[in-house]
Amino acid sequence: MLLHFKKILIYCLLFIASIVYAQEEKIFTPQELQWIAKNPTITINMLNDYKPFSYIEENEHKGFSVDLLTRVSQISGLKFDIKTSNWDIALKNFSQGKADMISEISLNDERKKFSLFTKPYYEIPVFIFGSKNNNYKNNNSLENKKIAITKDVFYKKTLQDLGLNIVEYQSSYEKAKAVRKGEADYFLDAYISGKSTIDENSFNLIALDEYSKLAKEDLRFAIHKSKPILLSIISKTLNSIPSSELINLSNKWMINAQDTFSKTNIKFTKEEEDYLKSMPVITYSEVDWHPLSIIENNTMQGIMGDYLSLVANRTGIVFQFVPSKSWPDVLEKFKEKKIDLVPGVGSSEEEKSLGLISTEYATYPMVIVTNQKYTYVENLSALKNKTVAVPKYYTSYNFIKQNYPDIKILATTDIPEALLKVKNGEADAFVGHIATSLFYISKLYLNDLKVAGTTDFNFEHHYLIQRENPLLLSIINKTFNSITPQEKQNIYSKWLQTTIMKETTNYIYLYIALIIIVILISFFTYRQKILKKYNKELAESYTTIEGILDATVEGIIIIKDNRCIDVNQSALDLFKMPTKEDALGRKIFDFIDDHSLALAKKNLLQEKSEPSELTLKRSDNTLFVGMVKGTNLKLKENQIRVVSVVDLTEIKQNEKVYLEQAKLASLGEMIGNIAHQWRQPLSVITTSATGLKMQNEFQLLTDEKINAHCDTINNNAQYLSKTIDDFRNFIKGDRQKILFNMKDTIDSFLNLIQGSLKNHNITLVHNTQEDISIHGYPNELIQCFMNIFHNAKDALTSVQEEKYIFISSSMVKNSVTITILDNAGGINEEIIDKIFEPYFTTKHKSQGTGLGLHMTYNLIVNGMNGTIEASNKEFQYNDKNYKGALFTIKLEDLA
């Protein structure tokens, strides 16, 4: 009997192991599983003095990072050989290849030379610590002071660039001691680490302020650059850890989770206690509003979720979530009494009219977000006559519209779009809730945006409760009053100041529990056979899909959480990578040149992006232009993105050849035009010279006549010289970015086409602003003018009446607008959207290639970061009505 029991136990253990292994197979690729088997032990450098993340206490290594690494080991099957030391030694040994990994490291350009980074598992703001009695006022108080920092900390170079006087120390304790002894005026540290050091050593120091000139300290794991597949394994493992586990880790190490107010501390009335004893179930609804409310698995997390949990813990009330499609849907459910409570309303009169409103449980400022152009914005009044991007009908939109009519509102559909408008310079600022502002700035990697100031109004968070339930209102108000300021600060710090990077849920424990039940009611051998069959089919499916992907001409990159999880052979060839291991685990942004990053990030926000031209980067750092398209897919609860890439190198080379051919084709006509233009000034010069000679022979010359003849000859010679200069510059065509005057460039263009205008009886009317100067490429701009002019000239051949071309230029802020209009009757509306496409032409093939306007579009949009649009316009000139094609070019200063 005992032997039989042992066999069953062994079978159970083997079965559990097989399912765990199957779970790992779903996380890792076959290549990664093979690598884990060959490299079971990984050497990692960790710190011995960095509370509460990694430190030695009573000969025990403990901390948040240690617990997190233990979970990584359990999920991946990797074993870690941990080497503890101070930061200086840990980083030095890792950079020299003496360890495979390092923890508690922040990303910077210098470390990229030898490191591959995971996503941050914690982000912490850097704080300024100093004496309670110093004269600190703001961040600028650090100027001309001695600042203590950790040796080789990630923000060292930034501080040096800011001109600060820094002194390096090995630990938080040494930095704090230096300030206490007067060897330094302030020290910089993560809030938790610095505060712990001060409290444990009873130093008479305090946290003075967040140092907003530095990015948050992003704690990550780094893997040596020689092991990209290990990066993929560690990243996938971190992604598989449930968010609930990360929250528990945070509560364990960062937050004093002890509830200082127990349920009995709140003085409820007998009626209220009877209500609570009935164990009420209260229904509520909300929508995703990161990080205020995060809806996952029919529960609410985030800031509002934590407040709801506090109320539940202190009252015993059970809160049941009811899904809603949108915010109007939430309010509609409340009006129809389908839910009892809404946990995230403001204090507007409209919301108050719907039911009972609780006391406010949290108040957050509405902040002003700008780019680096603004140092500090005092309040909304400082944005008079400025453009502010805000989502339509949001609280900030309504408030600004009602109270600040002098602010120009740029309405958007959502917060990400508004922030990108600020980043791209289309708006001066964004105004919104501090929590959502910080969340999306971080999520969209908008490192050049910052909170530049606060507004004079706050967002107050209340509960909305049905009028028929005043007892619930009273209970919730009393519970809110029991929440301490420290608890509120802990919730704020958890979701904003220290942001945990949460990923998808892992169901491994649920699987194991279900497996044990299955073991008790089924036969092991049959289950094992099914599992084997499943694995075989899975392997065959993987091989089939891999074969299909490798058969495509396009490069295919599959990404999850912005990291590459698979590529086909065409993509490896495009980016010059020998094996898949060289691509796996890389950030998608590693494949993209810096000049195309903004467009790429914008495309990533779209469910399905339109094809766009991006400058891409190969593994050897050479660049090429590619056509890129991305689509989001949901694969067994995992959100992935499939990106396809087509190499445009050959097409671009052909376009370059065409540009030169088009220029050469123009030379013959221009030479004829120049010859025509020169006839009159040469005739004047000849007449003046002959007249001068004759008057000299008859002794009729006076000083006044000599000067007049010489002036006439000189003026006409200067005109001829100017024409030659314009012609030479056009032929030379050097692509040099320079500061040029727009009027001078347009005048040069007009000199080149003057003869053609006369030959074709075209009158050119121009209205150019005198003082427009802009950085850019004047020769390429003239080529664009030429292409548009040739199309207008050809269209005007069929016009019997007066023929006109109008050109104008104007400047608003840093944007220049140039318009070219003719009176040739316009472009057929059925084809107007196609005229910039390559090889599209309405002319006979012997007269046009269809590349002129396409080249113009590429030169303006891709070469000058501008825009060009074509439309038809009806207008009046000299009391006559006309219709023609209007080309509008907009250029930004490329300085």
Side-chain angles (χ1 to χ4, degrees):
M1 183 71 182
L2 181 61
L3 182 61
H4 181 65
F5 176 76
K6 286 182 177 178
K7 286 183 178 179
I8 292 176
L9 181 60
I10 291 170
Y11 286 157
C12 290
L13 293 173
L14 286 172
F15 191 61
I16 292 172
S18 69
I19 297 302
V20 171
Y21 182 75
Q23 172 71 8
E24 288 178 355
E25 281 189 323
K26 293 181 181 179
I27 298 175
F28 305 119
T29 65
Q31 295 96 324
E32 290 166 343
L33 290 171
Q34 187 178 11
W35 193 91
I36 292 171
K38 290 182 178 179
N39 303 272
T41 302
I42 302 300
T43 305
I44 182 170
N45 288 349
M46 302 186 76
L47 302 187
N48 57 14
D49 59 352
Y50 190 39
K51 285 189 175 182
F53 296 98
S54 175
Y55 61 100
I56 304 290
E57 189 173 78
E58 296 178 356
N59 294 323
E60 182 184 357
H61 185 207
K62 59 175 99 174
F64 180 94
S65 301
V66 180
D67 283 0
L68 184 61
L69 191 70
T70 300
R71 284 297 292 125
V72 171
S73 177
Q74 292 169 349
I75 295 170
S76 67
L78 291 169
K79 304 298 180 186
F80 292 96
D81 179 13
I82 300 174
K83 310 290 185 184
T84 59
S85 64
N86 62 37
W87 174 247
D88 189 29
I89 295 173
L91 182 63
K92 180 180 178 182
N93 288 342
F94 174 69
S95 67
Q96 293 175 352
K98 296 179 181 179
D100 304 310
M101 290 176 59
I102 188 171
S103 64
E104 295 90 39
I105 188 170
S106 296
L107 185 150
N108 64 26
D109 290 337
E110 182 63 28
R111 294 170 185 170
K112 283 183 181 179
K113 296 175 182 177
F114 53 84
S115 308
L116 300 171
F117 293 89
T118 67
K119 289 171 59 176
Y121 57 80
Y122 236 95
E123 287 188 335
I124 313 171
V126 178
F127 269 74
I128 303 166
F129 295 87
S131 168
K132 297 178 180 179
N133 303 318
N134 66 20
N135 296 320
Y136 179 86
K137 294 180 180 178
N138 54 42
N139 283 189
N140 294 329
S141 299
L142 271 61
E143 295 176 5
N144 302 317
K145 299 292 183 181
K146 194 174 287 186
I147 315 301
I149 64 170
T150 303
K151 184 171 173 43
D152 292 328
V153 71
F154 77 98
Y155 48 76
K156 174 182 174 181
K157 186 176 186 304
T158 303
L159 297 179
Q160 290 173 332
D161 293 341
L162 290 171
L164 295 183
N165 181 12
I166 59 174
V167 186
E168 296 182 87
Y169 295 89
Q170 291 290 350
S171 66
S172 296
Y173 171 77
E174 291 183 11
K175 291 188 293 186
K177 187 172 72 172
V179 174
R180 186 175 65 85
K181 293 173 65 177
E183 296 173 2
D185 299 291
Y186 304 100
F187 78 90
L188 299 182
D189 210 337
Y191 179 81
I192 297 172
S193 180
K195 188 74 167 58
S196 299
T197 300
I198 290 170
D199 292 343
E200 289 172 6
N201 296 281
S202 300
F203 290 155
N204 189 30
L205 304 174
I206 59 171
L208 297 168
D209 193 3
E210 180 182 346
Y211 193 46
S212 58
K213 296 183 180 181
L214 291 176
K216 289 182 180 180
E217 184 174 2
D218 51 321
L219 300 187
R220 309 166 186 253
F221 290 113
I223 289 83
H224 198 271
K225 204 162 189 177
S226 61
K227 294 179 172 62
I229 194 168
L230 178 58
L231 172 67
S232 178
I233 293 168
I234 298 297
S235 296
K236 287 180 178 180
T237 305
L238 291 173
N239 291 344
S240 73
I241 298 176
S243 59
S244 57
E245 284 192 38
L246 294 175
I247 292 170
N248 290 337
L249 275 182
S250 175
N251 290 337
K252 176 181 177 181
W253 294 105
M254 317 299 168
I255 299 174
N256 180 11
Q258 183 179 1
D259 195 347
T260 55
F261 285 83
S262 67
K263 178 179 175 181
T264 56
N265 291 130
I266 305 173
K267 295 181 179 179
F268 294 120
T269 66
K270 186 178 184 308
E271 189 177 12
E272 290 166 348
E273 287 179 349
D274 290 339
Y275 178 88
L276 293 176
K277 286 177 182 177
S278 69
M279 300 184 69
V281 176
I282 302 300
T283 56
Y284 73 101
S285 188
E286 251 303 344
V287 293
D288 267 320
W289 193 20
H290 290 249
L292 297 167
S293 59
I294 303 169
I295 309 303
E296 291 181 353
N297 301 323
N298 279 336
T299 59
M300 180 175 68
Q301 299 182 40
I303 291 174
M304 295 196 296
D306 281 5
Y307 277 102
L308 196 70
S309 296
L310 279 175
V311 175
N313 291 335
R314 294 181 186 180
T315 63
I317 294 174
V318 176
F319 290 97
Q320 182 176 319
F321 178 78
V322 177
S324 291
K325 297 177 182 177
S326 62
W327 178 245
D329 187 30
V330 172
L331 298 180
E332 192 62 29
K333 280 186 170 65
F334 185 83
K335 291 175 185 177
E336 296 174 356
K337 301 188 185 304
K338 293 180 179 178
I339 54 175
D340 303 308
L341 179 146
V342 180
V345 299
S347 52
S348 68
E349 293 301 320
E350 180 185 356
E351 290 165 320
K352 288 180 180 178
S353 68
L354 298 176
L356 303 174
I357 297 288
S358 74
T359 58
E360 58 90 9
Y361 61 90
T363 302
Y364 296 104
M366 302 295 281
V367 296
I368 302 168
V369 176
T370 68
N371 56 27
Q372 301 301 324
K373 178 180 175 182
Y374 296 89
T375 304
Y376 174 69
V377 180
E378 186 175 359
N379 50 41
L380 283 173
S381 299
L383 295 175
K384 183 179 179 181
N385 298 325
K386 302 293 184 183
T387 301
V388 173
V390 286
K392 198 169 187 179
Y393 302 130
Y394 273 39
T395 303
S396 50
Y397 175 93
N398 295 327
F399 184 85
I400 294 171
K401 194 170 184 180
Q402 293 170 10
N403 299 283
Y404 293 88
D406 292 327
I407 291 178
K408 301 172 186 175
I409 296 179
L410 177 58
T412 64
T413 55
D414 53 27
I415 294 172
E417 182 186 0
L419 290 171
L420 287 171
K421 296 284 187 188
V422 178
K423 174 182 171 58
N424 297 333
E426 298 175 52
D428 297 289
F430 160 78
V431 175
H433 195 294
I434 185 172
T436 54
S437 300
L438 294 176
F439 173 81
Y440 281 109
I441 287 173
S442 174
K443 181 177 177 63
L444 299 174
Y445 303 98
L446 302 176
N447 299 326
D448 47 352
L449 296 190
K450 64 178 182 179
V451 175
T454 58
T455 67
D456 49 5
F457 72 106
N458 294 325
F459 192 101
E460 297 178 355
H461 291 266
H462 302 263
Y463 280 11
L464 176 64
I465 300 165
Q466 295 290 354
R467 296 187 190 280
E468 297 79 12
N469 209 341
L471 269 180
L472 178 60
L473 174 68
S474 177
I475 291 168
I476 285 176
N477 282 343
K478 288 181 179 180
T479 308
F480 284 163
N481 291 334
S482 76
I483 300 173
T484 66
Q486 182 60 47
E487 287 173 314
K488 291 185 177 183
Q489 180 60 39
N490 287 344
I491 292 173
Y492 179 89
S493 300
K494 174 181 171 182
W495 294 102
L496 287 179
Q497 289 182 336
T498 308
T499 303
I500 298 175
M501 296 310 188
K502 299 181 294 180
E503 301 299 336
T504 58
T505 304
N506 189 332
Y507 295 94
I508 185 168
Y509 294 113
L510 178 60
Y511 290 160
I512 293 175
L514 291 173
I515 290 160
I516 293 172
I517 296 172
V518 172
I519 291 170
L520 297 174
I521 62 173
S522 62
F523 295 100
F524 167 76
T525 53
Y526 176 74
R527 185 69 180 86
Q528 192 72 6
K529 181 180 178 182
I530 296 298
L531 183 64
K532 186 176 181 181
K533 180 181 178 182
Y534 169 77
N535 287 336
K536 183 180 178 182
E537 290 175 353
L538 187 65
E540 290 174 353
S541 298
Y542 178 84
T543 304
T544 302
I545 293 172
E546 193 176 45
I548 293 171
L549 290 178
D550 285 339
T552 63
V553 177
E554 300 172 70
I556 304 293
I557 303 174
I558 301 175
I559 61 173
K560 181 175 179 288
D561 300 322
N562 291 336
R563 288 192 180 275
C564 173
I565 62 172
D566 203 356
V567 292
N568 69 348
Q569 187 59 46
S570 295
L572 294 177
D573 295 340
L574 274 178
F575 291 95
K576 294 186 177 179
M577 293 183 177
T579 65
K580 281 191 177 183
E581 283 69 24
D582 297 300
L584 297 180
R586 285 179 180 257
K587 280 187 176 181
I588 189 64
F589 301 124
D590 293 343
F591 297 93
I592 302 167
D593 184 55
D594 291 345
H595 294 90
S596 295
L597 278 180
L599 177 57
K601 289 177 180 178
K602 183 177 180 181
N603 288 345
L604 272 177
L605 293 175
Q606 301 174 8
E607 189 75 17
K608 183 177 181 181
S609 64
E610 292 299 319
S612 56
E613 287 188 14
L614 300 177
T615 303
L616 305 175
K617 186 165 53 179
R618 299 186 179 94
S619 61
D620 59 2
N621 289 324
T622 58
L623 303 179
F624 70 99
V625 178
M627 184 71 73
V628 181
K629 180 181 180 182
T631 303
N632 287 344
L633 295 175
K634 199 161 188 179
L635 194 61
K636 287 196 174 182
E637 305 304 321
N638 287 320
Q639 187 81 13
I640 66 169
R641 189 173 183 85
V642 179
V643 180
S644 59
V645 183
V646 176
D647 189 356
L648 298 181
T649 302
E650 187 175 347
I651 293 174
K652 291 296 175 183
Q653 289 172 346
N654 290 340
E655 288 180 353
K656 185 176 180 181
V657 171
Y658 168 76
L659 181 62
E660 296 301 323
Q661 290 175 343
K663 189 176 289 188
L664 290 171
S666 301
L667 294 184
E669 182 179 355
M670 279 189 283
I671 290 171
N673 293 339
I674 290 171
H676 184 83
Q677 287 175 243
W678 278 16
R679 286 195 182 97
Q680 184 177 352
L682 285 173
S683 176
V684 172
I685 291 172
T686 303
T687 302
S688 294
T690 304
L692 193 65
K693 182 179 179 182
M694 289 179 62
Q695 290 176 11
N696 182 47
E697 289 176 357
F698 290 101
Q699 298 183 349
L700 297 175
L701 279 177
T702 63
D703 289 344
E704 184 178 348
K705 289 181 179 180
I706 291 172
N707 289 336
H709 282 293
C710 288
D711 287 341
T712 299
I713 293 170
N714 182 60
N715 290 340
N716 281 275
Q718 291 295 331
Y719 172 78
L720 297 177
S721 177
K722 178 67 168 62
T723 304
I724 285 294
D725 288 342
D726 291 337
F727 185 69
R728 184 184 63 228
N729 289 335
F730 177 72
I731 294 172
K732 186 178 179 183
D734 287 346
R735 194 175 198 271
Q736 295 180 350
K737 184 171 68 176
I738 61 172
L739 179 65
F740 66 94
N741 181 275
M742 186 60 67
K743 183 179 183 303
D744 292 344
T745 299
I746 292 175
D747 287 345
S748 295
F749 160 65
L750 296 180
N751 276 339
L752 292 172
I753 65 168
Q754 201 63 244
S756 185
L757 291 171
K758 290 179 181 178
N759 288 340
H760 294 87
N761 297 316
I762 298 172
T763 301
L764 190 136
V765 181
H766 63 97
N767 178 24
T768 52
Q769 191 174 320
E770 294 280 344
D771 56 347
I772 300 176
S773 291
I774 187 172
H775 290 85
Y777 305 98
N779 287 332
E780 291 188 359
L781 189 58
I782 291 175
Q783 178 66 59
C784 295
F785 293 160
M786 282 284 190
N787 291 339
I788 296 171
F789 166 72
H790 285 312
N791 278 275
K793 179 193 68 178
D794 293 342
L796 286 167
T797 55
S798 59
V799 175
Q800 302 300 319
E801 53 189 351
E802 296 92 341
K803 302 174 184 178
Y804 293 106
I805 293 179
F806 303 84
I807 183 168
S808 68
S809 64
S810 60
M811 188 169 191
V812 178
K813 293 185 179 179
N814 290 329
S815 179
V816 177
T817 300
I818 305 152
T819 61
I820 301 176
L821 172 67
D822 61 52
N823 68 327
I827 304 169
N828 189 330
E829 292 291 346
E830 294 181 359
I831 65 170
I832 196 168
D833 293 333
K834 301 179 181 179
I835 63 172
F836 293 118
E837 294 178 5
Y839 309 110
F840 181 82
T841 179
T842 58
K843 305 173 187 176
H844 189 272
K845 63 182 180 180
S846 63
Q847 294 178 302
T849 62
L851 286 172
L853 289 180
H854 174 64
M855 284 300 306
T856 300
Y857 180 88
N858 274 339
L859 289 172
I860 296 293
V861 176
N862 299 322
M864 306 182 201
N865 198 27
T867 62
I868 179 169
E869 294 179 354
S871 59
N872 291 321
K873 181 178 180 180
E874 294 182 358
F875 61 98
Q876 193 176 65
Y877 183 71
N878 288 342
D879 297 326
K880 283 189 177 183
N881 294 323
Y882 298 104
K883 180 180 179 181
L886 172 66
F887 287 85
T888 304
I889 299 171
K890 291 186 178 180
L891 300 174
E892 302 290 332
D893 195 309
L894 295 177

